[in-house]
Amino acid sequence: MNINDLSHFLEENNKEKIQEFIHSLNDTNTHELLSTKTDDGWNSLQLAAYYNNPELMNQLLNFADYDQINNNGKHPIFIALEEKSNEVLECFKNESVISKINFQYHNNKNEKFLYYSIYYDNMDFAHFLVQNNCSIFEPNGFLNNLNNTPLNLLIQKNNFEFFKHHELDQYLSENFDELYFKNSIIHKSNDFFNLFFPHTSLREDDIFELCNDFDNIYAMEKLLTQGHMIVGEQQITKLVTLMSRTYEDPLEQAAAIAIADYFVSINLPFSKFKDENGKNAWMLCIEINTPALFDELFTIISNFNIGVVDG
């Protein structure tokens, strides 16, 4: 039997023939199998990864050398991640195999294992990779493109738990980039925003516009209450529109109410500042039926004797 036979057995899921093939492997023919490809150009490691056969993969990895694993076409780890062949991925965690893995391997898009693991939501294998010194800060892609770092993927997926689990914030100061901060606003990754906010050197006016462009009221509230921004009339008009939208997320609802508190703290009447359609905060709250925000505004205004109607 040869590699084409093996490919056929795996494709047909012929368990009896697959077992017979695996049990027939010895030192000599396993080395021969590792050095051959199917008529379609697949090697045996790729087949084992694609069809999630850990028994076959373990046998092959025991005999495979560094080049056969890392320099023989598409890496079996990439295939296993794509196909969610989790049992096969466990084979690569064996102590005897780890030394054979090139953890800096990248595909033709310059994507590395950690980026791929996060992309395919395999956080278990991602944990393994970080433990083996794969960096979430290291760029993938050409021209040192920070958009393709594993960290940027974590931000996009709002996976702060992974970041904190490995205590990676201790490396942030030397790896911080404004792109990470901007993306935390764009993707509404609140925990990452809180982490990055003290590190940013962006002008607060620019942060304000970014929050407004992407309807991020949570980040907007933090900017206003924790920053030192002087708010102008044009910005307040935007705030009225942003704070009066419907927010299902409790954190966003709380942020809208905190902005209402902020309005009072700087002695601005709600009715004076209107959105682009001429509606003030009161009108917007009534129109979109936001009782929690409306009640909070009413309480605030009553306490400060601010008029509900203006003109």
Side-chain angles (χ1 to χ4, degrees), residues 5 7 37 52 66 79 90 96 106 127 144 161 177 202 209 221 242 263-264 288 294 310:
D5 295 324
S7 177
K37 293 186 177 182
N52 193 25
Y66 182 90
I79 296 173
E90 289 297 314
S96 60
H106 58 79
H127 283 302
N144 216 31
E161 182 180 347
D177 190 273
L202 292 180
E209 292 303 324
E221 186 268 323
L242 191 63
F263 270 28
V264 171
I288 65 177
F294 185 90
D310 183 4

Side-chain angles (χ1 to χ4, degrees), residues 129-144:
L129 293 170
V130 170
Q131 289 164 356
N132 282 276
N133 299 317
C134 293
S135 172
I136 70 163
F137 300 103
E138 187 174 5
N140 294 273
F142 300 102
L143 301 179
N144 216 31

Side-chain angles (χ1 to χ4, degrees), residues 7 12 19 107 123 128 134 194 198 229 241 264 283 299 310:
S7 177
E12 296 294 323
Q19 285 298 311
N107 61 14
M123 305 317 297
F128 162 74
C134 293
N194 292 334
M229 186 175 182
T241 302
V264 171
M283 296 168 66
T299 301
D310 183 4

Side-chain angles (χ1 to χ4, degrees), residues 28-223:
T28 302
N29 58 22
T30 300
H31 282 295
E32 291 175 357
L33 182 64
L34 283 162
S35 62
T36 59
K37 293 186 177 182
T38 66
D39 295 337
D40 296 326
W42 284 62
N43 63 50
S44 53
L45 289 164
Q46 293 169 334
L47 289 173
Y50 185 82
Y51 290 104
N52 193 25
N53 192 305
E55 186 178 359
L56 175 61
M57 181 61 81
N58 276 324
Q59 173 72 10
L60 296 171
L61 290 175
N62 284 337
F63 291 93
D65 61 28
Y66 182 90
D67 284 335
Q68 287 170 327
I69 295 175
N70 300 289
N71 300 319
N72 194 17
K74 188 171 185 177
H75 204 289
I77 288 178
F78 280 127
I79 296 173
L81 287 167
E82 289 173 2
E83 300 301 323
K84 301 189 184 303
S85 301
N86 295 330
E87 293 177 29
V88 156
L89 287 171
E90 289 297 314
C91 301
F92 288 93
K93 297 179 183 180
N94 293 334
E95 289 295 328
S96 60
V97 177
I98 290 175
S99 61
K100 298 180 181 181
I101 301 173
N102 176 10
F103 287 100
Q104 296 305 309
Y105 179 94
H106 58 79
N107 61 14
N108 56 7
K109 296 180 181 179
N110 269 26
E111 295 166 335
K112 297 181 180 179
F113 296 142
L114 183 55
Y115 182 89
Y116 230 61
S117 295
I118 296 171
Y119 182 85
Y120 283 100
D121 295 314
N122 193 322
M123 305 317 297
D124 179 73
F125 200 71
H127 283 302
F128 162 74
L129 293 170
V130 170
Q131 289 164 356
N132 282 276
N133 299 317
C134 293
S135 172
I136 70 163
F137 300 103
E138 187 174 5
N140 294 273
F142 300 102
L143 301 179
N144 216 31
N145 187 355
L146 289 177
N147 264 316
N148 290 332
T149 60
L151 174 55
N152 219 32
L153 265 184
L154 290 173
I155 296 168
Q156 291 174 31
K157 291 174 176 286
N158 200 10
N159 191 335
F160 191 69
E161 182 180 347
F162 181 89
F163 187 88
K164 289 301 293 182
H165 177 83
H166 290 283
E167 299 181 344
L168 295 167
D169 50 326
Q170 61 183 306
Y171 303 105
L172 185 62
S173 58
E174 60 189 74
N175 292 282
F176 178 77
D177 190 273
E178 296 294 355
L179 178 65
Y180 297 142
F181 177 64
K182 291 177 181 178
N183 281 335
S184 73
I185 297 174
I186 293 170
H187 296 285
K188 298 185 177 180
S189 300
N190 297 336
D191 289 324
F192 281 109
F193 174 85
N194 292 334
L195 179 68
F196 299 150
F197 190 31
H199 293 271
T200 185
S201 58
L202 292 180
R203 293 173 59 247
E204 291 191 335
D205 286 352
D206 294 332
I207 300 173
F208 180 99
E209 292 303 324
L210 193 60
C211 293
N212 182 68
D213 289 344
F214 290 92
D215 297 332
N216 192 329
I217 195 165
Y218 177 89
M220 182 75 83
E221 186 268 323
K222 298 301 179 187
L223 170 65

Side-chain angles (χ1 to χ4, degrees), residues 268-297:
L268 290 172
F270 295 96
S271 55
K272 178 179 179 181
F273 298 98
K274 302 175 182 179
D275 68 4
E276 64 272 14
N277 297 315
K279 296 177 181 179
N280 62 33
W282 282 104
M283 296 168 66
L284 287 164
C285 287
I286 295 170
E287 183 177 281
I288 65 177
N289 189 24
T290 314
L293 181 56
F294 185 90
D295 291 345
E296 182 70 14
L297 288 174

